Amino acid sequence: MGAAQGNFADIAQLYQDGPDPFGRIPAGPVLIYDWGCTIWSLVDFRDPAGAMWCNHEGECWSQGVNLVEWLAGTLAGSLTVETLLESQPTS
């Protein structure tokens, strides 16, 4: 994972301001990583397993992993912005 890219004070501000000012992301998912180019990873705190979601260009979709798997994948280098975008649903 690279250096922090956001211009926010803390995770609480991210939750309030969020990557989706138009309200398309329901209450519960919280941004935990900014991949750049308006691509965000969010953890869903409504799910005890911590399901991970991605937001890009107004779409929000499940990454198909939980927080533990997401952390392991990003640290191992197997979860990249490219793999996230490959999983983005097509309209």
Side-chain angles (χ1 to χ4, degrees), residues 15-56:
Y15 182 72
Q16 290 173 336
D17 299 341
D20 180 14
F22 303 106
R24 291 181 290 241
I25 298 175
V30 176
L31 170 82
I32 62 165
Y33 194 74
D34 176 358
W35 294 90
C37 299
T38 68
I39 304 166
W40 307 79
S41 282
L42 303 99
V43 62
D44 188 348
F45 287 114
R46 299 170 299 180
D47 180 347
M52 294 299 298
W53 291 80
C54 189
N55 182 297
H56 180 239

PDB file of all heavy atoms in Angstrom, residues 15-56:
ATOM      1  N   TYR A  15     -16.072   9.351   7.306  1.00  0.00           N
ATOM      2  CA  TYR A  15     -17.410   8.775   7.377  1.00  0.00           C
ATOM      3  C   TYR A  15     -18.459   9.845   7.154  1.00  0.00           C
ATOM      4  O   TYR A  15     -19.438   9.628   6.447  1.00  0.00           O
ATOM      5  CB  TYR A  15     -17.620   8.080   8.720  1.00  0.00           C
ATOM      6  CG  TYR A  15     -18.965   7.419   8.828  1.00  0.00           C
ATOM      7  CD1 TYR A  15     -19.235   6.264   8.112  1.00  0.00           C
ATOM      8  CD2 TYR A  15     -19.965   7.948   9.617  1.00  0.00           C
ATOM      9  CE1 TYR A  15     -20.472   5.646   8.192  1.00  0.00           C
ATOM     10  CE2 TYR A  15     -21.206   7.336   9.714  1.00  0.00           C
ATOM     11  CZ  TYR A  15     -21.443   6.183   8.990  1.00  0.00           C
ATOM     12  OH  TYR A  15     -22.672   5.578   9.062  1.00  0.00           O
ATOM     13  N   GLN A  16     -18.259  11.018   7.738  1.00  0.00           N
ATOM     14  CA  GLN A  16     -19.236  12.092   7.588  1.00  0.00           C
ATOM     15  C   GLN A  16     -19.205  12.681   6.186  1.00  0.00           C
ATOM     16  O   GLN A  16     -20.245  12.899   5.573  1.00  0.00           O
ATOM     17  CB  GLN A  16     -18.973  13.190   8.619  1.00  0.00           C
ATOM     18  CG  GLN A  16     -19.292  12.739  10.023  1.00  0.00           C
ATOM     19  CD  GLN A  16     -18.871  13.758  11.064  1.00  0.00           C
ATOM     20  OE1 GLN A  16     -17.985  14.571  10.836  1.00  0.00           O
ATOM     21  NE2 GLN A  16     -19.501  13.699  12.218  1.00  0.00           N
ATOM     22  N   ASP A  17     -18.008  12.964   5.686  1.00  0.00           N
ATOM     23  CA  ASP A  17     -17.886  13.589   4.369  1.00  0.00           C
ATOM     24  C   ASP A  17     -17.936  12.544   3.256  1.00  0.00           C
ATOM     25  O   ASP A  17     -18.523  12.773   2.216  1.00  0.00           O
ATOM     26  CB  ASP A  17     -16.587  14.385   4.272  1.00  0.00           C
ATOM     27  CG  ASP A  17     -16.517  15.504   5.298  1.00  0.00           C
ATOM     28  OD1 ASP A  17     -17.573  15.888   5.833  1.00  0.00           O
ATOM     29  OD2 ASP A  17     -15.404  15.979   5.573  1.00  0.00           O
ATOM     30  N   GLY A  18     -17.294  11.411   3.505  1.00  0.00           N
ATOM     31  CA  GLY A  18     -17.331  10.246   2.631  1.00  0.00           C
ATOM     32  C   GLY A  18     -16.904  10.469   1.196  1.00  0.00           C
ATOM     33  O   GLY A  18     -16.773  11.586   0.733  1.00  0.00           O
ATOM     34  N   PRO A  19     -16.676   9.378   0.486  1.00  0.00           N
ATOM     35  CA  PRO A  19     -16.337   9.463  -0.926  1.00  0.00           C
ATOM     36  C   PRO A  19     -17.563   9.690  -1.795  1.00  0.00           C
ATOM     37  O   PRO A  19     -17.454   9.860  -2.989  1.00  0.00           O
ATOM     38  CB  PRO A  19     -15.707   8.104  -1.216  1.00  0.00           C
ATOM     39  CG  PRO A  19     -16.377   7.193  -0.249  1.00  0.00           C
ATOM     40  CD  PRO A  19     -16.618   8.026   0.987  1.00  0.00           C
ATOM     41  N   ASP A  20     -18.738   9.675  -1.182  1.00  0.00           N
ATOM     42  CA  ASP A  20     -19.985   9.786  -1.934  1.00  0.00           C
ATOM     43  C   ASP A  20     -20.870  10.879  -1.341  1.00  0.00           C
ATOM     44  O   ASP A  20     -21.768  10.599  -0.550  1.00  0.00           O
ATOM     45  CB  ASP A  20     -20.713   8.444  -1.908  1.00  0.00           C
ATOM     46  CG  ASP A  20     -22.026   8.480  -2.674  1.00  0.00           C
ATOM     47  OD1 ASP A  20     -22.258   9.436  -3.440  1.00  0.00           O
ATOM     48  OD2 ASP A  20     -22.814   7.552  -2.497  1.00  0.00           O
ATOM     49  N   PRO A  21     -20.631  12.127  -1.716  1.00  0.00           N
ATOM     50  CA  PRO A  21     -21.425  13.220  -1.152  1.00  0.00           C
ATOM     51  C   PRO A  21     -22.887  13.201  -1.587  1.00  0.00           C
ATOM     52  O   PRO A  21     -23.699  13.935  -1.056  1.00  0.00           O
ATOM     53  CB  PRO A  21     -20.712  14.468  -1.665  1.00  0.00           C
ATOM     54  CG  PRO A  21     -20.013  14.028  -2.894  1.00  0.00           C
ATOM     55  CD  PRO A  21     -19.639  12.585  -2.664  1.00  0.00           C
ATOM     56  N   PHE A  22     -23.245  12.336  -2.534  1.00  0.00           N
ATOM     57  CA  PHE A  22     -24.607  12.289  -3.037  1.00  0.00           C
ATOM     58  C   PHE A  22     -25.469  11.266  -2.313  1.00  0.00           C
ATOM     59  O   PHE A  22     -26.624  11.078  -2.642  1.00  0.00           O
ATOM     60  CB  PHE A  22     -24.601  12.013  -4.545  1.00  0.00           C
ATOM     61  CG  PHE A  22     -23.801  13.033  -5.299  1.00  0.00           C
ATOM     62  CD1 PHE A  22     -22.561  12.700  -5.805  1.00  0.00           C
ATOM     63  CD2 PHE A  22     -24.248  14.337  -5.457  1.00  0.00           C
ATOM     64  CE1 PHE A  22     -21.803  13.638  -6.476  1.00  0.00           C
ATOM     65  CE2 PHE A  22     -23.496  15.281  -6.120  1.00  0.00           C
ATOM     66  CZ  PHE A  22     -22.264  14.928  -6.632  1.00  0.00           C
ATOM     67  N   GLY A  23     -24.893  10.549  -1.328  1.00  0.00           N
ATOM     68  CA  GLY A  23     -25.674   9.641  -0.506  1.00  0.00           C
ATOM     69  C   GLY A  23     -25.964   8.292  -1.102  1.00  0.00           C
ATOM     70  O   GLY A  23     -26.880   7.610  -0.673  1.00  0.00           O
ATOM     71  N   ARG A  24     -25.207   7.851  -2.089  1.00  0.00           N
ATOM     72  CA  ARG A  24     -25.462   6.537  -2.675  1.00  0.00           C
ATOM     73  C   ARG A  24     -24.871   5.409  -1.841  1.00  0.00           C
ATOM     74  O   ARG A  24     -25.234   4.259  -2.020  1.00  0.00           O
ATOM     75  CB  ARG A  24     -24.914   6.482  -4.102  1.00  0.00           C
ATOM     76  CG  ARG A  24     -25.703   7.361  -5.064  1.00  0.00           C
ATOM     77  CD  ARG A  24     -25.140   7.240  -6.449  1.00  0.00           C
ATOM     78  NE  ARG A  24     -23.846   7.887  -6.495  1.00  0.00           N
ATOM     79  CZ  ARG A  24     -23.538   8.916  -7.272  1.00  0.00           C
ATOM     80  NH1 ARG A  24     -24.433   9.406  -8.084  1.00  0.00           N
ATOM     81  NH2 ARG A  24     -22.347   9.442  -7.261  1.00  0.00           N
ATOM     82  N   ILE A  25     -23.923   5.717  -0.941  1.00  0.00           N
ATOM     83  CA  ILE A  25     -23.367   4.704  -0.053  1.00  0.00           C
ATOM     84  C   ILE A  25     -24.193   4.729   1.222  1.00  0.00           C
ATOM     85  O   ILE A  25     -24.324   5.760   1.866  1.00  0.00           O
ATOM     86  CB  ILE A  25     -21.884   4.979   0.252  1.00  0.00           C
ATOM     87  CG1 ILE A  25     -21.075   4.932  -1.037  1.00  0.00           C
ATOM     88  CG2 ILE A  25     -21.357   3.966   1.266  1.00  0.00           C
ATOM     89  CD1 ILE A  25     -19.631   5.315  -0.854  1.00  0.00           C
ATOM     90  N   PRO A  26     -24.773   3.582   1.604  1.00  0.00           N
ATOM     91  CA  PRO A  26     -25.615   3.559   2.807  1.00  0.00           C
ATOM     92  C   PRO A  26     -24.792   3.741   4.072  1.00  0.00           C
ATOM     93  O   PRO A  26     -23.576   3.577   4.068  1.00  0.00           O
ATOM     94  CB  PRO A  26     -26.243   2.169   2.752  1.00  0.00           C
ATOM     95  CG  PRO A  26     -25.281   1.353   1.966  1.00  0.00           C
ATOM     96  CD  PRO A  26     -24.655   2.289   0.963  1.00  0.00           C
ATOM     97  N   ALA A  27     -25.466   4.064   5.161  1.00  0.00           N
ATOM     98  CA  ALA A  27     -24.799   4.171   6.460  1.00  0.00           C
ATOM     99  C   ALA A  27     -24.206   2.820   6.818  1.00  0.00           C
ATOM    100  O   ALA A  27     -24.828   1.793   6.607  1.00  0.00           O
ATOM    101  CB  ALA A  27     -25.802   4.614   7.515  1.00  0.00           C
ATOM    102  N   GLY A  28     -23.013   2.818   7.332  1.00  0.00           N
ATOM    103  CA  GLY A  28     -22.338   1.583   7.733  1.00  0.00           C
ATOM    104  C   GLY A  28     -20.979   1.428   7.093  1.00  0.00           C
ATOM    105  O   GLY A  28     -19.998   1.244   7.786  1.00  0.00           O
ATOM    106  N   PRO A  29     -20.866   1.458   5.750  1.00  0.00           N
ATOM    107  CA  PRO A  29     -19.553   1.367   5.121  1.00  0.00           C
ATOM    108  C   PRO A  29     -18.724   2.624   5.391  1.00  0.00           C
ATOM    109  O   PRO A  29     -19.216   3.735   5.291  1.00  0.00           O
ATOM    110  CB  PRO A  29     -19.862   1.235   3.630  1.00  0.00           C
ATOM    111  CG  PRO A  29     -21.260   0.725   3.573  1.00  0.00           C
ATOM    112  CD  PRO A  29     -21.939   1.322   4.770  1.00  0.00           C
ATOM    113  N   VAL A  30     -17.467   2.406   5.760  1.00  0.00           N
ATOM    114  CA  VAL A  30     -16.564   3.510   6.090  1.00  0.00           C
ATOM    115  C   VAL A  30     -15.297   3.382   5.252  1.00  0.00           C
ATOM    116  O   VAL A  30     -14.684   2.309   5.189  1.00  0.00           O
ATOM    117  CB  VAL A  30     -16.213   3.493   7.591  1.00  0.00           C
ATOM    118  CG1 VAL A  30     -15.199   4.565   7.939  1.00  0.00           C
ATOM    119  CG2 VAL A  30     -17.475   3.659   8.431  1.00  0.00           C
ATOM    120  N   LEU A  31     -14.903   4.475   4.645  1.00  0.00           N
ATOM    121  CA  LEU A  31     -13.693   4.505   3.835  1.00  0.00           C
ATOM    122  C   LEU A  31     -12.481   4.182   4.698  1.00  0.00           C
ATOM    123  O   LEU A  31     -12.310   4.760   5.769  1.00  0.00           O
ATOM    124  CB  LEU A  31     -13.513   5.894   3.225  1.00  0.00           C
ATOM    125  CG  LEU A  31     -12.166   6.107   2.564  1.00  0.00           C
ATOM    126  CD1 LEU A  31     -12.162   5.533   1.178  1.00  0.00           C
ATOM    127  CD2 LEU A  31     -11.794   7.559   2.570  1.00  0.00           C
ATOM    128  N   ILE A  32     -11.661   3.248   4.236  1.00  0.00           N
ATOM    129  CA  ILE A  32     -10.411   2.991   4.951  1.00  0.00           C
ATOM    130  C   ILE A  32      -9.195   3.160   4.058  1.00  0.00           C
ATOM    131  O   ILE A  32      -8.082   3.230   4.550  1.00  0.00           O
ATOM    132  CB  ILE A  32     -10.376   1.604   5.627  1.00  0.00           C
ATOM    133  CG1 ILE A  32     -10.491   0.486   4.609  1.00  0.00           C
ATOM    134  CG2 ILE A  32     -11.411   1.509   6.711  1.00  0.00           C
ATOM    135  CD1 ILE A  32     -10.100  -0.866   5.172  1.00  0.00           C
ATOM    136  N   TYR A  33      -9.407   3.236   2.722  1.00  0.00           N
ATOM    137  CA  TYR A  33      -8.245   3.421   1.853  1.00  0.00           C
ATOM    138  C   TYR A  33      -8.627   4.134   0.575  1.00  0.00           C
ATOM    139  O   TYR A  33      -9.613   3.784  -0.065  1.00  0.00           O
ATOM    140  CB  TYR A  33      -7.589   2.074   1.530  1.00  0.00           C
ATOM    141  CG  TYR A  33      -6.220   2.256   0.919  1.00  0.00           C
ATOM    142  CD1 TYR A  33      -5.144   2.650   1.704  1.00  0.00           C
ATOM    143  CD2 TYR A  33      -6.018   2.074  -0.431  1.00  0.00           C
ATOM    144  CE1 TYR A  33      -3.894   2.850   1.157  1.00  0.00           C
ATOM    145  CE2 TYR A  33      -4.767   2.265  -0.988  1.00  0.00           C
ATOM    146  CZ  TYR A  33      -3.709   2.648  -0.195  1.00  0.00           C
ATOM    147  OH  TYR A  33      -2.471   2.851  -0.748  1.00  0.00           O
ATOM    148  N   ASP A  34      -7.830   5.124   0.219  1.00  0.00           N
ATOM    149  CA  ASP A  34      -7.977   5.878  -1.021  1.00  0.00           C
ATOM    150  C   ASP A  34      -6.906   5.384  -1.980  1.00  0.00           C
ATOM    151  O   ASP A  34      -5.719   5.616  -1.775  1.00  0.00           O
ATOM    152  CB  ASP A  34      -7.805   7.370  -0.717  1.00  0.00           C
ATOM    153  CG  ASP A  34      -7.850   8.260  -1.946  1.00  0.00           C
ATOM    154  OD1 ASP A  34      -7.975   7.725  -3.078  1.00  0.00           O
ATOM    155  OD2 ASP A  34      -7.743   9.477  -1.784  1.00  0.00           O
ATOM    156  N   TRP A  35      -7.327   4.674  -3.036  1.00  0.00           N
ATOM    157  CA  TRP A  35      -6.385   4.140  -4.023  1.00  0.00           C
ATOM    158  C   TRP A  35      -5.932   5.208  -5.001  1.00  0.00           C
ATOM    159  O   TRP A  35      -5.032   4.980  -5.800  1.00  0.00           O
ATOM    160  CB  TRP A  35      -7.032   2.991  -4.798  1.00  0.00           C
ATOM    161  CG  TRP A  35      -7.343   1.788  -3.985  1.00  0.00           C
ATOM    162  CD1 TRP A  35      -8.508   1.522  -3.307  1.00  0.00           C
ATOM    163  CD2 TRP A  35      -6.495   0.662  -3.743  1.00  0.00           C
ATOM    164  NE1 TRP A  35      -8.424   0.313  -2.667  1.00  0.00           N
ATOM    165  CE2 TRP A  35      -7.198  -0.248  -2.925  1.00  0.00           C
ATOM    166  CE3 TRP A  35      -5.201   0.332  -4.148  1.00  0.00           C
ATOM    167  CZ2 TRP A  35      -6.652  -1.457  -2.508  1.00  0.00           C
ATOM    168  CZ3 TRP A  35      -4.673  -0.879  -3.731  1.00  0.00           C
ATOM    169  CH2 TRP A  35      -5.386  -1.752  -2.918  1.00  0.00           C
ATOM    170  N   GLY A  36      -6.577   6.371  -4.980  1.00  0.00           N
ATOM    171  CA  GLY A  36      -6.316   7.424  -5.956  1.00  0.00           C
ATOM    172  C   GLY A  36      -7.334   7.341  -7.082  1.00  0.00           C
ATOM    173  O   GLY A  36      -8.051   6.341  -7.230  1.00  0.00           O
ATOM    174  N   CYS A  37      -7.428   8.382  -7.864  1.00  0.00           N
ATOM    175  CA  CYS A  37      -8.339   8.426  -9.031  1.00  0.00           C
ATOM    176  C   CYS A  37      -9.776   8.085  -8.653  1.00  0.00           C
ATOM    177  O   CYS A  37     -10.461   7.369  -9.370  1.00  0.00           O
ATOM    178  CB  CYS A  37      -7.844   7.512 -10.138  1.00  0.00           C
ATOM    179  SG  CYS A  37      -6.227   7.951 -10.767  1.00  0.00           S
ATOM    180  N   THR A  38     -10.245   8.579  -7.520  1.00  0.00           N
ATOM    181  CA  THR A  38     -11.601   8.371  -6.999  1.00  0.00           C
ATOM    182  C   THR A  38     -11.958   6.896  -6.817  1.00  0.00           C
ATOM    183  O   THR A  38     -13.102   6.503  -7.001  1.00  0.00           O
ATOM    184  CB  THR A  38     -12.682   9.075  -7.856  1.00  0.00           C
ATOM    185  OG1 THR A  38     -12.773   8.431  -9.128  1.00  0.00           O
ATOM    186  CG2 THR A  38     -12.411  10.551  -8.006  1.00  0.00           C
ATOM    187  N   ILE A  39     -10.995   6.081  -6.439  1.00  0.00           N
ATOM    188  CA  ILE A  39     -11.220   4.671  -6.135  1.00  0.00           C
ATOM    189  C   ILE A  39     -10.991   4.500  -4.637  1.00  0.00           C
ATOM    190  O   ILE A  39      -9.921   4.832  -4.127  1.00  0.00           O
ATOM    191  CB  ILE A  39     -10.274   3.759  -6.936  1.00  0.00           C
ATOM    192  CG1 ILE A  39     -10.417   4.038  -8.436  1.00  0.00           C
ATOM    193  CG2 ILE A  39     -10.550   2.289  -6.615  1.00  0.00           C
ATOM    194  CD1 ILE A  39      -9.306   3.456  -9.273  1.00  0.00           C
ATOM    195  N   TRP A  40     -12.027   3.997  -3.951  1.00  0.00           N
ATOM    196  CA  TRP A  40     -11.992   3.904  -2.495  1.00  0.00           C
ATOM    197  C   TRP A  40     -12.315   2.483  -2.053  1.00  0.00           C
ATOM    198  O   TRP A  40     -13.180   1.840  -2.625  1.00  0.00           O
ATOM    199  CB  TRP A  40     -13.049   4.825  -1.890  1.00  0.00           C
ATOM    200  CG  TRP A  40     -13.002   6.236  -2.344  1.00  0.00           C
ATOM    201  CD1 TRP A  40     -13.479   6.730  -3.528  1.00  0.00           C
ATOM    202  CD2 TRP A  40     -12.461   7.349  -1.651  1.00  0.00           C
ATOM    203  NE1 TRP A  40     -13.274   8.078  -3.588  1.00  0.00           N
ATOM    204  CE2 TRP A  40     -12.649   8.493  -2.446  1.00  0.00           C
ATOM    205  CE3 TRP A  40     -11.851   7.489  -0.412  1.00  0.00           C
ATOM    206  CZ2 TRP A  40     -12.239   9.753  -2.055  1.00  0.00           C
ATOM    207  CZ3 TRP A  40     -11.438   8.756  -0.016  1.00  0.00           C
ATOM    208  CH2 TRP A  40     -11.630   9.860  -0.833  1.00  0.00           C
ATOM    209  N   SER A  41     -11.653   2.011  -1.008  1.00  0.00           N
ATOM    210  CA  SER A  41     -12.033   0.767  -0.340  1.00  0.00           C
ATOM    211  C   SER A  41     -12.720   1.133   0.962  1.00  0.00           C
ATOM    212  O   SER A  41     -12.255   2.013   1.692  1.00  0.00           O
ATOM    213  CB  SER A  41     -10.808  -0.101  -0.050  1.00  0.00           C
ATOM    214  OG  SER A  41     -10.393  -0.769  -1.218  1.00  0.00           O
ATOM    215  N   LEU A  42     -13.836   0.446   1.233  1.00  0.00           N
ATOM    216  CA  LEU A  42     -14.631   0.713   2.420  1.00  0.00           C
ATOM    217  C   LEU A  42     -14.873  -0.587   3.170  1.00  0.00           C
ATOM    218  O   LEU A  42     -15.036  -1.643   2.550  1.00  0.00           O
ATOM    219  CB  LEU A  42     -15.986   1.307   2.030  1.00  0.00           C
ATOM    220  CG  LEU A  42     -15.945   2.588   1.208  1.00  0.00           C
ATOM    221  CD1 LEU A  42     -16.155   2.284  -0.260  1.00  0.00           C
ATOM    222  CD2 LEU A  42     -16.982   3.548   1.688  1.00  0.00           C
ATOM    223  N   VAL A  43     -14.891  -0.515   4.490  1.00  0.00           N
ATOM    224  CA  VAL A  43     -15.255  -1.665   5.315  1.00  0.00           C
ATOM    225  C   VAL A  43     -16.687  -1.442   5.805  1.00  0.00           C
ATOM    226  O   VAL A  43     -17.051  -0.334   6.184  1.00  0.00           O
ATOM    227  CB  VAL A  43     -14.261  -1.875   6.490  1.00  0.00           C
ATOM    228  CG1 VAL A  43     -14.235  -0.702   7.430  1.00  0.00           C
ATOM    229  CG2 VAL A  43     -14.577  -3.155   7.239  1.00  0.00           C
ATOM    230  N   ASP A  44     -17.486  -2.504   5.732  1.00  0.00           N
ATOM    231  CA  ASP A  44     -18.889  -2.412   6.135  1.00  0.00           C
ATOM    232  C   ASP A  44     -19.021  -2.848   7.587  1.00  0.00           C
ATOM    233  O   ASP A  44     -18.976  -4.040   7.903  1.00  0.00           O
ATOM    234  CB  ASP A  44     -19.745  -3.293   5.237  1.00  0.00           C
ATOM    235  CG  ASP A  44     -21.230  -3.107   5.469  1.00  0.00           C
ATOM    236  OD1 ASP A  44     -21.612  -2.463   6.474  1.00  0.00           O
ATOM    237  OD2 ASP A  44     -22.011  -3.601   4.645  1.00  0.00           O
ATOM    238  N   PHE A  45     -19.178  -1.880   8.489  1.00  0.00           N
ATOM    239  CA  PHE A  45     -19.273  -2.168   9.907  1.00  0.00           C
ATOM    240  C   PHE A  45     -20.633  -2.732  10.311  1.00  0.00           C
ATOM    241  O   PHE A  45     -20.840  -3.096  11.456  1.00  0.00           O
ATOM    242  CB  PHE A  45     -18.939  -0.923  10.735  1.00  0.00           C
ATOM    243  CG  PHE A  45     -17.474  -0.609  10.716  1.00  0.00           C
ATOM    244  CD1 PHE A  45     -17.002   0.547  10.121  1.00  0.00           C
ATOM    245  CD2 PHE A  45     -16.560  -1.475  11.286  1.00  0.00           C
ATOM    246  CE1 PHE A  45     -15.647   0.837  10.103  1.00  0.00           C
ATOM    247  CE2 PHE A  45     -15.202  -1.196  11.279  1.00  0.00           C
ATOM    248  CZ  PHE A  45     -14.741  -0.039  10.687  1.00  0.00           C
ATOM    249  N   ARG A  46     -21.571  -2.842   9.371  1.00  0.00           N
ATOM    250  CA  ARG A  46     -22.845  -3.502   9.672  1.00  0.00           C
ATOM    251  C   ARG A  46     -22.663  -5.017   9.693  1.00  0.00           C
ATOM    252  O   ARG A  46     -23.485  -5.735  10.225  1.00  0.00           O
ATOM    253  CB  ARG A  46     -23.900  -3.135   8.630  1.00  0.00           C
ATOM    254  CG  ARG A  46     -24.200  -1.645   8.565  1.00  0.00           C
ATOM    255  CD  ARG A  46     -25.052  -1.313   7.367  1.00  0.00           C
ATOM    256  NE  ARG A  46     -24.329  -1.683   6.142  1.00  0.00           N
ATOM    257  CZ  ARG A  46     -24.804  -1.531   4.921  1.00  0.00           C
ATOM    258  NH1 ARG A  46     -25.991  -1.029   4.736  1.00  0.00           N
ATOM    259  NH2 ARG A  46     -24.084  -1.880   3.877  1.00  0.00           N
ATOM    260  N   ASP A  47     -21.592  -5.509   9.076  1.00  0.00           N
ATOM    261  CA  ASP A  47     -21.286  -6.934   8.964  1.00  0.00           C
ATOM    262  C   ASP A  47     -20.181  -7.282   9.958  1.00  0.00           C
ATOM    263  O   ASP A  47     -19.094  -6.712   9.878  1.00  0.00           O
ATOM    264  CB  ASP A  47     -20.830  -7.222   7.537  1.00  0.00           C
ATOM    265  CG  ASP A  47     -20.474  -8.670   7.284  1.00  0.00           C
ATOM    266  OD1 ASP A  47     -20.325  -9.451   8.247  1.00  0.00           O
ATOM    267  OD2 ASP A  47     -20.315  -9.022   6.100  1.00  0.00           O
ATOM    268  N   PRO A  48     -20.420  -8.208  10.904  1.00  0.00           N
ATOM    269  CA  PRO A  48     -19.387  -8.555  11.883  1.00  0.00           C
ATOM    270  C   PRO A  48     -18.084  -9.032  11.244  1.00  0.00           C
ATOM    271  O   PRO A  48     -17.010  -8.875  11.824  1.00  0.00           O
ATOM    272  CB  PRO A  48     -20.020  -9.670  12.720  1.00  0.00           C
ATOM    273  CG  PRO A  48     -21.483  -9.502  12.528  1.00  0.00           C
ATOM    274  CD  PRO A  48     -21.663  -8.934  11.146  1.00  0.00           C
ATOM    275  N   ALA A  49     -18.144  -9.600  10.050  1.00  0.00           N
ATOM    276  CA  ALA A  49     -16.936 -10.068   9.357  1.00  0.00           C
ATOM    277  C   ALA A  49     -16.160  -8.913   8.726  1.00  0.00           C
ATOM    278  O   ALA A  49     -15.002  -9.071   8.361  1.00  0.00           O
ATOM    279  CB  ALA A  49     -17.295 -11.098   8.287  1.00  0.00           C
ATOM    280  N   GLY A  50     -16.811  -7.757   8.595  1.00  0.00           N
ATOM    281  CA  GLY A  50     -16.137  -6.614   7.985  1.00  0.00           C
ATOM    282  C   GLY A  50     -16.028  -6.741   6.475  1.00  0.00           C
ATOM    283  O   GLY A  50     -14.945  -6.659   5.909  1.00  0.00           O
ATOM    284  N   ALA A  51     -17.155  -6.970   5.816  1.00  0.00           N
ATOM    285  CA  ALA A  51     -17.158  -7.086   4.353  1.00  0.00           C
ATOM    286  C   ALA A  51     -16.561  -5.828   3.721  1.00  0.00           C
ATOM    287  O   ALA A  51     -16.794  -4.714   4.185  1.00  0.00           O
ATOM    288  CB  ALA A  51     -18.583  -7.292   3.843  1.00  0.00           C
ATOM    289  N   MET A  52     -15.784  -6.020   2.661  1.00  0.00           N
ATOM    290  CA  MET A  52     -15.128  -4.907   1.981  1.00  0.00           C
ATOM    291  C   MET A  52     -15.870  -4.547   0.703  1.00  0.00           C
ATOM    292  O   MET A  52     -16.346  -5.417  -0.030  1.00  0.00           O
ATOM    293  CB  MET A  52     -13.680  -5.274   1.650  1.00  0.00           C
ATOM    294  CG  MET A  52     -12.814  -5.465   2.880  1.00  0.00           C
ATOM    295  SD  MET A  52     -12.678  -3.989   3.915  1.00  0.00           S
ATOM    296  CE  MET A  52     -11.882  -2.843   2.785  1.00  0.00           C
ATOM    297  N   TRP A  53     -15.939  -3.242   0.447  1.00  0.00           N
ATOM    298  CA  TRP A  53     -16.614  -2.695  -0.721  1.00  0.00           C
ATOM    299  C   TRP A  53     -15.661  -1.765  -1.455  1.00  0.00           C
ATOM    300  O   TRP A  53     -14.705  -1.260  -0.885  1.00  0.00           O
ATOM    301  CB  TRP A  53     -17.868  -1.921  -0.299  1.00  0.00           C
ATOM    302  CG  TRP A  53     -18.922  -2.826   0.229  1.00  0.00           C
ATOM    303  CD1 TRP A  53     -18.993  -3.372   1.477  1.00  0.00           C
ATOM    304  CD2 TRP A  53     -20.032  -3.330  -0.493  1.00  0.00           C
ATOM    305  NE1 TRP A  53     -20.089  -4.190   1.578  1.00  0.00           N
ATOM    306  CE2 TRP A  53     -20.747  -4.177   0.384  1.00  0.00           C
ATOM    307  CE3 TRP A  53     -20.497  -3.147  -1.793  1.00  0.00           C
ATOM    308  CZ2 TRP A  53     -21.904  -4.847  -0.011  1.00  0.00           C
ATOM    309  CZ3 TRP A  53     -21.656  -3.802  -2.173  1.00  0.00           C
ATOM    310  CH2 TRP A  53     -22.353  -4.634  -1.294  1.00  0.00           C
ATOM    311  N   CYS A  54     -15.950  -1.532  -2.719  1.00  0.00           N
ATOM    312  CA  CYS A  54     -15.179  -0.589  -3.528  1.00  0.00           C
ATOM    313  C   CYS A  54     -16.140   0.450  -4.084  1.00  0.00           C
ATOM    314  O   CYS A  54     -17.278   0.135  -4.416  1.00  0.00           O
ATOM    315  CB  CYS A  54     -14.478  -1.325  -4.665  1.00  0.00           C
ATOM    316  SG  CYS A  54     -13.308  -0.272  -5.564  1.00  0.00           S
ATOM    317  N   ASN A  55     -15.683   1.691  -4.169  1.00  0.00           N
ATOM    318  CA  ASN A  55     -16.459   2.768  -4.770  1.00  0.00           C
ATOM    319  C   ASN A  55     -15.602   3.404  -5.839  1.00  0.00           C
ATOM    320  O   ASN A  55     -14.450   3.767  -5.591  1.00  0.00           O
ATOM    321  CB  ASN A  55     -16.835   3.797  -3.701  1.00  0.00           C
ATOM    322  CG  ASN A  55     -17.682   4.911  -4.273  1.00  0.00           C
ATOM    323  OD1 ASN A  55     -17.253   5.655  -5.132  1.00  0.00           O
ATOM    324  ND2 ASN A  55     -18.890   5.028  -3.778  1.00  0.00           N
ATOM    325  N   HIS A  56     -16.159   3.500  -7.042  1.00  0.00           N
ATOM    326  CA  HIS A  56     -15.455   4.133  -8.159  1.00  0.00           C
ATOM    327  C   HIS A  56     -16.478   4.682  -9.129  1.00  0.00           C
ATOM    328  O   HIS A  56     -17.410   3.980  -9.532  1.00  0.00           O
ATOM    329  CB  HIS A  56     -14.557   3.107  -8.864  1.00  0.00           C
ATOM    330  CG  HIS A  56     -13.797   3.672 -10.011  1.00  0.00           C
ATOM    331  ND1 HIS A  56     -13.926   3.167 -11.279  1.00  0.00           N
ATOM    332  CD2 HIS A  56     -12.898   4.678 -10.081  1.00  0.00           C
ATOM    333  CE1 HIS A  56     -13.128   3.837 -12.100  1.00  0.00           C
ATOM    334  NE2 HIS A  56     -12.495   4.768 -11.386  1.00  0.00           N
TER     335      HIS A  56
END
